[in-house]
Amino acid sequence: MGDSRARSCVCARALVSVTLAVFLGFTTAGCAPEKVAPSPTPSPTPTFTTPPPTAIAPLRGTTVPAGSLDHASIAAKIDNLPVARPQVGLESADLVYQELVEGGLTRYVAVWQSTIPALLGPVRSIRPMDPDIVSPLGGIICYSGGQQRFVDLMRRTPVYNAIHGQADTASTFFRTPTRAAPHNVLVRAKDLLAQHSSIPAPAQQFVYSLTTPASTGAKDGTPTAVVNYSFSGISTGSWTWDAARSVFLRSQGAGPDLDSAGAQLSATNVVVIRVAVTDDQGVPKTNLIGSGEAWISSGGGTVHAAWSKSSATDPIHLVDGAGAAVRLVAGNTWIELVPTAGSVSFVAPG
């Protein structure tokens, strides 16, 4: 009987011990921190931004926002007498053609499209070769008049004639009191363009490279420090390569040619083409319908080339010795229409 009670007590104690152990086990397990695997960091959803569309500036070859240059070009006959310098707006022109006129002097046909200045000038009268220069561009031509036969030629071109003294230019052409006549006719270029917003943009005139080293002058040309030219005994000038800025700096006569802000005029490309000049009743006429010899200086080098132009509305084509199109550097271009009776020479780096 006593043994039975002893066994019962032992069993009871054992049951209590097991129950307590189980209870403590559950309690301990419930208090222990649960280890949870960290959630993976979600990868950001990739976003793709479509770059805005671009276009090529037709008279510079630079990349611009699409639609930003959907407007006409403005060409102007610009005075180049010493009393007309510095010219207004010439530093922002895309193209500048220098041509021989009477007395061995020169004038410019300058063309703006990438940047239209507030004012440009001074404008002067046209000459017989000017219709062949501006016809490929369309757009607007500004001038102060000229011999009636030359005005008639210009009016027959696909270019809007904006002539000083006419009713349609009364609000856009004016004489500035800061200069002496006839070297004082300026044009409110932006206002003029706004009046002719329906005229389309010009066609591209030259072939351009994507980078300076890929241009024909830099890639295949002879290194050039200075380009010297002479239109006549009294009209000479030069272009000096500035490697730091990758441009040629312009001089006329014995000194630098300055813009209205006092900076030296410059060009990314200098194109020299040799042209025959004939007499048109006492007026020199540069003959641009045909072909001839050319030199193109870009990127610090000069390549010998050939030029051709088959009609008034055809642009000037430039090809190298292999017949491939010459590639200019994107930027502004000066075209020197040097008479065959004139001269051109190139100085290698020292």
Side-chain angles (χ1 to χ4, degrees):
M1 184 81 174
D3 292 338
S4 175
R5 284 196 191 99
R7 285 195 296 269
S8 296
C9 287
V10 170
C11 289
R13 285 195 294 270
L15 180 60
V16 170
S17 297
V18 170
T19 302
L20 181 60
V22 170
F23 172 76
L24 291 175
F26 277 119
T27 302
T28 304
C31 293
E34 183 179 355
K35 293 183 179 180
V36 179
S39 300
T41 303
S43 299
T45 302
T47 58
F48 301 96
T49 303
T50 302
T54 59
I56 298 298
L59 304 186
R60 268 185 191 253
T62 50
T63 301
V64 298
S68 62
L69 295 181
D70 290 345
H71 59 76
S73 60
I74 298 181
K77 191 60 179 285
I78 301 294
D79 199 346
N80 190 34
L81 284 173
V83 294
R85 305 173 196 159
Q87 293 87 354
V88 178
L90 195 58
E91 66 278 5
S92 61
D94 294 323
L95 306 173
V96 181
Y97 297 80
Q98 185 173 11
E99 61 184 30
L100 183 70
V101 294
E102 299 90 325
L105 301 172
T106 67
R107 285 186 183 173
Y108 302 135
V109 175
V111 188
W112 292 263
Q113 205 262 342
S114 299
T115 300
I116 305 296
L119 298 175
L120 62 84
V123 299
R124 295 297 302 274
S125 56
I126 58 167
R127 293 297 184 272
M129 53 279 193
D130 297 335
D132 293 338
I133 293 175
V134 302
S135 287
L137 299 163
I140 304 167
I141 175 67
C142 303
Y143 58 102
S144 63
Q147 293 188 30
Q148 190 60 47
R149 59 197 178 107
F150 301 150
V151 173
D152 292 342
L153 284 174
M154 187 63 82
R155 286 191 180 278
R156 289 197 289 267
T157 67
V159 182
Y160 185 87
N161 283 235
I163 308 172
H164 179 234
Q166 302 297 308
D168 62 337
T169 61
S171 65
T172 53
F173 284 56
F174 70 99
R175 289 191 183 274
T176 175
T178 61
R179 302 192 183 208
H183 318 287
N184 63 345
V185 178
L186 301 182
V187 179
R188 297 182 178 95
K190 291 183 178 180
D191 294 345
L192 178 64
L193 183 64
Q195 293 177 358
H196 302 283
S197 59
S198 63
I199 299 177
Q204 188 169 319
Q205 299 295 295
F206 297 107
V207 178
Y208 296 94
S209 61
L210 294 176
T211 63
T212 297
S215 68
T216 303
K219 185 172 180 290
D220 302 322
T222 301
T224 302
V226 182
V227 179
N228 294 306
Y229 66 85
S230 173
F231 279 77
S232 68
I234 62 172
S235 293
T236 62
S238 64
W239 293 93
T240 302
W241 175 242
D242 183 342
R245 295 172 53 194
S246 295
V247 295
F248 289 91
L249 299 176
R250 179 174 174 79
S251 295
Q252 287 200 81
D257 194 8
L258 305 180
D259 64 21
S260 54
Q264 192 168 4
L265 289 166
S266 64
T268 305
N269 307 284
V270 177
V271 175
V272 178
I273 71 174
R274 302 303 298 274
V275 292
V277 176
T278 54
D279 182 271
D280 187 347
Q281 302 179 40
V283 179
K285 178 185 178 182
T286 296
N287 294 290
L288 284 175
I289 310 301
S291 60
E293 193 173 23
W295 290 267
I296 294 86
S297 299
S298 303
T302 299
V303 63
H304 185 243
W307 70 270
S308 64
K309 179 175 166 65
S310 61
S311 68
T313 56
D314 189 39
I316 295 173
H317 301 278
L318 302 170
V319 297
D320 63 17
V326 173
R327 301 177 305 280
L328 304 183
V329 177
N332 70 321
T333 301
W334 281 62
I335 302 96
E336 304 285 3
L337 304 175
V338 178
T340 52
S343 65
V344 59
S345 63
F346 303 90
V347 179

